[in-house]
């Protein structure tokens, strides 16, 4: 699969190069600094080209008839050129670095903002480590390209073109002789360039795979340690990084062979030029020793530039590969377009209706996860979804958030189809408290405020109090400024749940989803969390996915699911009367599980 993709990408090299150039749009905010950098680069390159000419003139003064004043004048001009070159070299480096850092920051921001706006179907097909590699590894390649490679590329072009022009002023015959070697180098560059680019793409892909292993291992470090699989993970990463070494060395061999041939061609050209120049001098062609020295120096300059172009070309190929990967990512369609309005046109009341909903996950259209789901939830009702694992309960709540839309049928909010409501507007009026609470690595206050960005500390404390979390938060030395650690590792399960509930209270949603919010807690923690949940569910439509009988006894409606279908619905008292029903058997099992806990 990877080989096929590489071949396709190689055929699109010009398209990839154009995509690389398209990144220059990110330069526009610092366009004057970029133009200044190009001017400084041009001046420093041109002053470098003046060096052989003046040095040759200085050598031509090596005769008794030469004026000492003229010799001193040439020497002073040379010193002046060196000073100008140093000043503009400094300006070039500073301006290009300034432009590149701002450009890459905007590119990172654009890529990140685009990724987090992609639909859930995209994340089901891509791993976190792979996406992280796009932002880190690929953009790092571009940083080297725009900080160093681009400047050197322009410098080499100026040196080659300017050098050839100045060479022709010294001797047209020698210039034509020297240029006869260029087509051979160009053909070699074309041949090796394709091969090097394909290897560079493979290397970047393998680095992304290595990053995926690191990302997944660190995210699941507790499981790694629990199963004592440190050695296994180390071997897995070693194997992946060794593959990077293999592919990278393969690419290095290709680049080394290419550069070696270029260097061989360079020295062969210099020897040939010297030989032919000496021949012309001895033949009385009127070339002075100083002019021959100029020509040799310019030939060295041009040869070095052509040699440098080989390595620069391979760097550009790597950048093109990185750009193509980024562009492929940026071409992915966003889940929704951001609206200019800050508010929401649609205000939810809390009434929900599933109207013969069918659903299959993208890429698995042959597997029906939800089958003809049809029921109503009135405003302010508490509805419990029960059923065995894999029955479709969590998928149903995913449709409420419009992470996915139904394959057929529709979901109505207050009589309005969900597809007619902007996803952002819909989600701003909903909240979820999951079984595995995801806390960010900041403070407790920041995690609670995630439910309402910009909330005041007073609002945060009030939400924590209502979530039965204020006591344990204030028991910490740093209170609300306590850092929760990666994924909330510094807090217990019950504490994390109450922080998540405080976050949901602060959001003040019209519709609340509780996805097995107490199933992983002990009895003491469950009691504290349940009190917080009761506070949270007041005066709002609540949908509960639960595995404990105590959490669903008071539900206004219990929906029993099995294999993606609704098999029973009603209150606890109604369903428990059906001795042969699914709920009756399930409730007895839940009752036994509750007694064990």
């Amino acid at each position: 699969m990877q080989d096929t993709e590489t071949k396709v990408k190689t055929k699109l090299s010009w398209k990839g190069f154009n995509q690389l150039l398209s990144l220059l749009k990110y330069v526009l905010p610092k366009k004057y600094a970029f133009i200044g950098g190009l001017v400084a680069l041009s001046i420093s390159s041109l002053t470098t080209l003046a060096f052989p000419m003046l040095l040759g003139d200085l050598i031509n003064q090596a005769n008794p008839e030469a004026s000492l004043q003229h010799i001193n004048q040439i020497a002073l001009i040379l010193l002046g050129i060196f000073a100008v070159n140093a000043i503009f070299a400094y300006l070039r480096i500073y301006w290009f670095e300034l432009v590149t850092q701002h450009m890459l920051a905007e590119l990172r921001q654009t890529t990140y903002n685009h990724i987090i706006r992609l639909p859930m179907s995209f994340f089901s097909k891509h791993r976190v480590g792979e996406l992280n590699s796009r932002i880190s590894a690929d953009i790092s390649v571009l940083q080297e390209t725009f900080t160093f490679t681009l400047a050197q590329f322009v410098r080499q072009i100026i040196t080659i073109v300017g050098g050839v022009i100045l060479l022709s002023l010294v001797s047209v015959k020698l210039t034509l002789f020297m240029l006869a070697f260029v087509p051979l180098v160009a053909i070699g560059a074309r041949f090796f360039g394709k091969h090097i680019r394909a290897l560079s793409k493979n290397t970047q892909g393998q680095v992304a795979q290595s990053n995926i292993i690191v990302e997944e291992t660190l995210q699941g470090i507790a499981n790694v340690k629990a199963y004592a699989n440190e050695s296994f993970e180390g071997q897995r990463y070693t194997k992946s990084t060794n593959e990077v070494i293999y592919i990278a060395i393969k690419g290095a061999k290709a680049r080394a062979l290419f550069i070696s041939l270029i260097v061989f061609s360079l020295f062969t050209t210099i020897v040939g030029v010297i030989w032919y120049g000496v021949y012309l001098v001895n033949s009385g062609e009127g070339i002075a020793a100083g002019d021959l020295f100029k020509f040799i120096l310019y030939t060295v300059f041009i040869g070095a530039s052509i040699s440098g172009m080989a390595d620069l070309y391979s760097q550009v190929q790597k950048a093109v590969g990185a750009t193509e990967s980024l562009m492929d990512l940026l071409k992915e369609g966003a889940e929704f377009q951001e609206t200019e309005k800050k508010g929401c046109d649609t205000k939810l009341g809390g009434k929900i209706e599933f109207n013969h909903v069918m659903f299959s996950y993208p890429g698995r259209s042959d597997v029906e996860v939800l089958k003809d789901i049809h029921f109503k939830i009135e405003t302010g009702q508490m509805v419990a979804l029960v059923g065995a694992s894999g029955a479709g309960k969590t998928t149903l709540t995913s449709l409420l958030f419009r992470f996915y839309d139904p394959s057929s049928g529709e979901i109505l909010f207050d009589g309005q189809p969900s597809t007619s409501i902007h996803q952002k507007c819909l989600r701003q009026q909903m909240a979820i408290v999951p079984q595995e609470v995801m806390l960010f690595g900041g403070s407790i206050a920041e995690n609670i405020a995630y439910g309402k960005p910009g909330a005041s500390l007073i609002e945060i404390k009030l939400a924590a109090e209502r979530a039965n979390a204020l006591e344990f938060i204030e028991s910490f030395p740093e209170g609300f400024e306590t850092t929760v650690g990666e994924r909330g590792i510094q807090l217990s399960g019950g504490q994390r749940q109450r922080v998540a509930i405080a976050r949901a209270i602060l959001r003040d949603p019209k519709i609340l989803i509780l996805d097995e919010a107490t199933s992983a807690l002990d009895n003491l923690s469950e009691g504290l969390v349940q009190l917080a949940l009761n506070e949270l569910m007041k005066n709002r439509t609540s949908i509960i996915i639960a595995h404990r009988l105590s959490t669903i006894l008071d539900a206004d409606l219990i929906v029993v699911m099995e294999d993606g279908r609704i098999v029973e619905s009603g209150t606890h008292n109604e369903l428990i009367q059906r001795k042969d029903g699914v709920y009756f058997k399930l409730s007895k099992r839940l009752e036994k599980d509750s007694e064990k806990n």
Side-chain angles (χ1 to χ4, degrees):
M1 178 72 180
Q2 193 178 26
D3 292 340
T4 304
E5 182 179 309
T6 300
K7 288 178 183 177
V8 173
K9 296 291 185 185
T10 303
K11 290 180 181 179
L12 299 176
S13 57
W14 284 111
K15 179 183 177 183
F17 186 70
N18 287 332
Q19 287 180 332
L20 179 61
L21 291 178
S22 72
L23 295 180
L24 291 175
K25 66 184 179 183
Y26 294 103
V27 170
L28 291 177
K30 295 291 179 182
K31 58 185 175 184
Y32 295 116
F34 183 68
I35 293 170
L38 289 176
V39 171
L41 173 62
S42 301
I43 293 174
S44 65
S45 300
L46 291 173
T47 53
T48 301
L49 280 176
F51 169 68
M53 184 67 70
L54 291 168
L55 195 59
D57 290 341
L58 189 60
I59 291 174
N60 281 334
Q61 300 302 311
N63 63 78
E65 298 178 2
S67 166
L68 183 59
Q69 182 180 359
H70 188 50
I71 293 172
N72 292 338
Q73 187 178 20
I74 294 174
L76 288 172
I77 292 173
L78 278 169
L79 289 174
I81 286 174
F82 293 150
V84 170
N85 189 295
I87 292 169
F88 282 98
Y90 170 83
L91 292 174
R92 184 258 302 173
I93 293 170
Y94 169 73
W95 277 329
F96 271 127
E97 187 67 33
L98 177 70
V99 171
T100 301
Q101 290 304 325
H102 280 85
M103 169 193 169
L104 294 179
E106 186 173 349
L107 184 57
R108 284 190 178 98
Q109 292 159 13
T110 300
T111 306
Y112 174 75
N113 285 323
H114 183 73
I115 287 174
I116 60 177
R117 284 169 172 76
L118 292 175
M120 290 298 290
S121 56
F122 173 84
F123 292 99
S124 64
K125 295 183 291 185
H126 295 81
R127 296 157 86 177
V128 173
E130 176 192 353
L131 299 176
N132 187 48
S133 181
R134 297 284 77 82
I135 297 179
S136 56
D138 287 351
I139 294 181
S140 293
V141 171
L142 296 177
Q143 179 173 359
E144 182 182 355
T145 300
F146 284 94
T147 304
F148 174 76
T149 307
L150 178 62
Q152 290 302 313
F153 195 84
V154 174
R155 178 189 289 279
Q156 309 298 31
I157 292 293
I158 292 173
T159 300
I160 293 170
V161 174
V164 169
I165 293 171
L166 292 172
L167 281 177
S168 63
L169 296 176
V170 176
S171 172
V172 175
K173 287 184 178 180
L174 270 176
T175 303
L176 293 174
F177 180 83
M178 186 270 292
L179 291 177
F181 291 88
V182 173
L184 297 176
V185 177
I187 292 170
R190 178 69 178 171
F191 173 77
F192 278 96
K194 284 187 177 181
H195 185 55
I196 291 169
R197 179 166 176 256
L199 290 172
S200 297
K201 282 284 293 178
N202 287 342
T203 303
Q204 287 166 237
Q206 192 59 43
V207 169
Q209 290 298 316
S210 301
N211 288 341
I212 289 170
I213 294 173
V214 173
E215 188 87 22
E216 291 180 342
T217 302
L218 295 182
Q219 283 183 348
I221 192 64
N223 287 330
V224 173
K225 291 188 174 296
Y227 284 92
N229 273 344
E230 290 91 343
S231 297
F232 170 76
E233 292 297 344
Q235 290 169 5
R236 195 159 70 104
Y237 186 66
T238 299
K239 182 180 177 181
S240 181
T241 49
N242 284 343
E243 187 65 22
V244 174
I245 294 173
Y246 172 74
I247 298 172
I249 289 177
K250 206 173 172 185
K253 285 179 180 177
R255 288 197 304 273
L257 180 60
F258 183 29
I259 293 170
S260 297
L261 290 175
I262 293 295
V263 171
F264 175 77
S265 301
L266 168 62
F267 284 108
T268 302
T269 304
I270 292 171
V271 172
V273 167
I274 294 173
W275 170 81
Y276 190 57
V278 171
Y279 169 78
L280 291 177
V281 170
N282 292 338
S283 300
E285 292 286 337
I287 298 179
D291 291 338
L292 181 58
F293 183 75
K294 289 179 190 177
F295 201 96
I296 293 170
L297 273 184
Y298 278 125
T299 301
V300 171
F301 275 32
I302 292 171
S305 294
I306 293 174
S307 175
M309 289 284 282
D311 195 44
L312 291 175
Y313 185 70
S314 68
Q315 294 296 327
V316 170
Q317 292 287 358
K318 287 176 65 177
V320 167
T323 303
E324 287 178 348
S325 297
L326 280 174
M327 288 302 171
D328 288 344
L329 183 58
L330 292 173
K331 284 177 184 175
E332 293 282 347
E335 185 179 20
F336 56 81
Q337 296 296 321
E338 291 285 351
T339 57
E340 294 182 2
K341 296 179 180 179
K342 290 186 178 181
C344 238
D345 291 335
T346 305
K347 298 298 182 183
L348 300 183
K351 184 178 180 180
I352 305 169
E353 180 179 353
F354 287 84
N355 188 9
H356 301 289
V357 169
M358 311 280 284
F359 177 72
S360 299
Y361 281 102
R364 290 159 47 195
S365 56
D366 56 326
V367 180
E368 285 189 336
V369 182
L370 296 178
K371 305 163 188 175
D372 196 31
I373 301 297
H374 186 79
F375 70 100
K376 295 180 181 180
I377 303 172
E378 298 298 331
T379 301
Q381 275 192 331
M382 182 175 77
V383 176
L385 302 178
V386 298
S389 180
K393 306 183 297 294
T394 300
T395 300
L396 191 145
T397 60
S398 294
L399 297 187
L400 284 175
F401 279 96
R402 285 198 66 193
F403 293 156
Y404 306 94
D405 285 325
S407 304
S408 64
E410 62 181 355
I411 300 173
L412 304 174
F413 290 92
D414 304 321
Q416 186 174 346
S418 61
T419 51
S420 68
I421 304 173
H422 195 279
Q423 289 101 319
K424 187 173 182 178
C425 178
L426 182 66
R427 294 167 191 171
Q428 284 176 340
Q429 301 177 76
M430 300 174 69
I432 184 169
V433 180
Q435 178 183 0
E436 295 184 11
V437 173
M438 171 63 187
L439 297 184
F440 301 97
S443 68
I444 292 176
E446 289 170 338
N447 273 280
I448 295 175
Y450 200 77
K452 182 183 177 183
S456 67
L457 185 58
I458 295 175
E459 290 176 299
I460 293 169
K461 285 184 176 180
L462 182 59
E465 185 178 11
R466 291 179 62 192
N468 202 18
L470 188 61
E471 183 178 351
F472 87 78
I473 294 174
E474 292 186 336
S475 69
F476 295 134
E478 296 180 10
F480 280 87
E481 294 306 312
T482 301
T483 300
V484 302
E486 186 73 22
R487 301 175 67 87
I489 197 170
Q490 305 281 12
L491 304 180
S492 69
Q495 289 171 338
R496 287 198 297 272
Q497 287 286 5
R498 280 176 280 167
V499 169
I501 292 168
R503 177 192 292 173
I505 288 174
L506 186 61
R507 191 168 190 79
D508 191 24
K510 292 293 182 182
I511 298 171
L512 175 67
I513 311 292
L514 303 176
D515 191 352
E516 304 180 21
T518 62
S519 64
L521 303 178
D522 55 56
N523 288 334
L524 178 60
S525 297
E526 182 187 7
L528 293 170
V529 170
Q530 192 61 54
L531 289 173
L533 289 175
N534 292 339
E535 177 67 23
L536 175 59
M537 288 187 289
K538 285 180 181 178
N539 304 317
R540 69 184 89 248
T541 301
S542 303
I543 300 173
I544 305 170
I545 298 175
H547 280 167
R548 293 194 178 186
L549 191 62
S550 59
T551 59
I552 57 176
L553 290 176
D554 297 327
D556 298 304
L557 175 67
I558 298 173
V559 176
V560 185
M561 298 186 68
E562 189 175 73
D563 192 28
R565 300 180 186 278
I566 295 177
V567 292
E568 293 175 349
S569 64
T571 64
H572 172 75
N573 291 332
E574 290 171 348
L575 295 174
I576 205 70
Q577 302 301 319
R578 304 175 189 175
K579 304 300 182 183
D580 58 344
V582 175
Y583 180 79
F584 180 83
K585 297 174 184 177
L586 186 62
S587 64
K588 292 302 179 185
R589 188 164 69 247
L590 292 176
E591 191 173 355
K592 289 180 181 179
D593 291 341
S594 298
E595 289 173 357
K596 290 179 183 178
N597 292 323

